Amino acid sequence: MQHVTAPDGATIALHSTGTGPGVVLVHGGGVTIEEYRRLIARLSDRFTVHAYNRRGRLDAPARREPYSVEHEIDDLGAVLEHTGARNVIGHSYGGFVALRAALRLPIERLALYDAALYIDGTPDGAYLDALDEALGAGRTARAVAIVAAGVNTHSAVSRWPLSVRTAICRVFLRTPIGRRMGDLLPMTMFEIRQVQAHGGSADAYAGVTADVLLACGASAPGYFEEHHAKLARVIARARTMVVPGARHDAIAIAPPRLVDPIADFLTAPLTASA
């Protein structure tokens, strides 16, 4: 383990493994780098993978308050400077952080999977007030059920009665990953609010100069593919990829049909300047 000093003086624990070109992993919301161990293992024979827990998790420092995605970008910048890496993988909220970072940090290749964005009014954030209320009342299972339906708008389960979904989530919260997601849910709420606060047109990302792979799962909510298509029209060096049968968590499961194209992208020659 290495230690990286963030701009505010906090110490970031950096977990690096593998050999080859460096790539930094920015994990999603409600999870830690533990959920990405398959991805890290399957990339480590071709890359030196640098992973760190974002603040408020496991070995990470406390989060700066009031919270802003700019703090996340500062931390990522410190990791890039320490490692010399110029390749980044971002998933979900980590994809949002990485894409925002690409507007001001020296990132050359950026691989995103299901980047969490709020573009042209989608996804609908109407569930957020109910989520706030459930969290405020300490009703964690109900809160998980609300956010799961709010994010997974394509799922038939999202249309089941809330009482049924809450009962299912109560069981889920007894599992190790469920407990972790439940504990992190208040933090996830702040992250969702940051995505909404930076919502608008995809044109906001037209200044990204990195080579960008916009990957999404065919079995994930459809708004990810819609957002990626809009980004690809404004980011000069962007391309899209839809992974057959892949859900939102596919990058943690790390099937070859997703990992191999990401690895190929990260080793391909950079796109020539126009």
Side-chain angles (χ1 to χ4, degrees):
M1 182 191 301
Q2 304 175 62
H3 294 94
V4 179
T5 302
D8 66 340
T11 299
I12 301 169
L14 184 65
H15 305 261
S16 302
T17 185
T19 57
V23 58
V24 176
L25 171 65
V26 188
H27 68 75
V31 294
T32 70
I33 60 173
E34 294 301 314
E35 279 71 42
Y36 298 83
R37 59 188 180 276
R38 287 192 188 94
L39 174 67
I40 293 169
R42 291 174 183 174
L43 287 174
S44 62
D45 63 337
R46 290 166 281 187
F47 302 92
T48 302
V49 184
H50 305 288
Y52 64 100
N53 286 303
R54 293 193 289 105
R55 297 203 186 199
R57 297 162 171 84
L58 298 179
D59 56 4
R63 196 161 67 180
R64 294 160 59 189
E65 301 297 344
Y67 174 70
S68 167
V69 68
E70 294 301 319
H71 304 161
E72 305 271 11
I73 296 171
D74 288 344
D75 288 351
L76 175 56
V79 171
L80 291 174
E81 182 177 2
H82 178 86
T83 61
R86 294 295 178 263
N87 301 328
V88 176
I89 297 173
H91 173 221
S92 195
Y93 186 76
F96 168 68
V97 171
L99 185 60
R100 299 291 307 177
L103 290 168
R104 66 175 174 91
L105 295 183
I107 296 173
E108 294 181 348
R109 297 180 185 87
L110 175 60
L112 304 179
Y113 183 76
D114 281 1
L117 300 166
Y118 184 64
I119 294 178
D120 296 337
T122 62
D124 185 357
Y127 68 95
L128 292 175
D129 289 341
L131 175 57
D132 273 335
E133 182 180 351
L135 284 173
R139 303 176 71 178
T140 304
R142 182 183 178 91
V144 172
I146 290 169
V147 74
V151 171
N152 296 296
T153 53
H154 67 307
S155 171
V157 176
S158 69
R159 295 184 287 277
W160 291 3
L162 178 57
S163 59
V164 175
R165 291 185 278 118
T166 299
I168 294 171
C169 289
R170 194 170 290 117
V171 174
F172 172 65
L173 287 169
R174 296 176 190 149
T175 67
I177 188 172
R179 284 193 294 273
R180 190 151 53 239
M181 291 184 73
D183 291 344
L184 291 171
L185 190 54
M187 187 178 300
T188 302
M189 180 68 207
F190 281 104
E191 295 174 354
I192 294 171
R193 292 289 190 189
Q194 280 292 294
V195 173
Q196 286 227 319
H198 291 82
S201 168
D203 291 343
Y205 298 100
V208 172
T209 59
D211 278 17
V212 182
L213 175 64
L214 299 158
C216 64
S219 296
Y223 55 79
F224 289 117
E225 184 175 358
E226 294 171 9
H227 291 171
H228 288 185
K230 291 177 179 180
L231 289 172
R233 288 196 287 270
V234 300
I235 298 176
R237 301 176 179 178
R239 70 200 76 171
T240 62
M241 179 179 75
V242 179
V243 184
R247 303 179 309 185
H248 184 58
D249 62 352
I251 196 166
I253 298 168
R257 66 182 184 278
L258 173 56
V259 176
D260 290 345
I262 288 176
D264 291 343
F265 166 75
L266 293 173
T267 54
L270 290 170
T271 303
S273 300

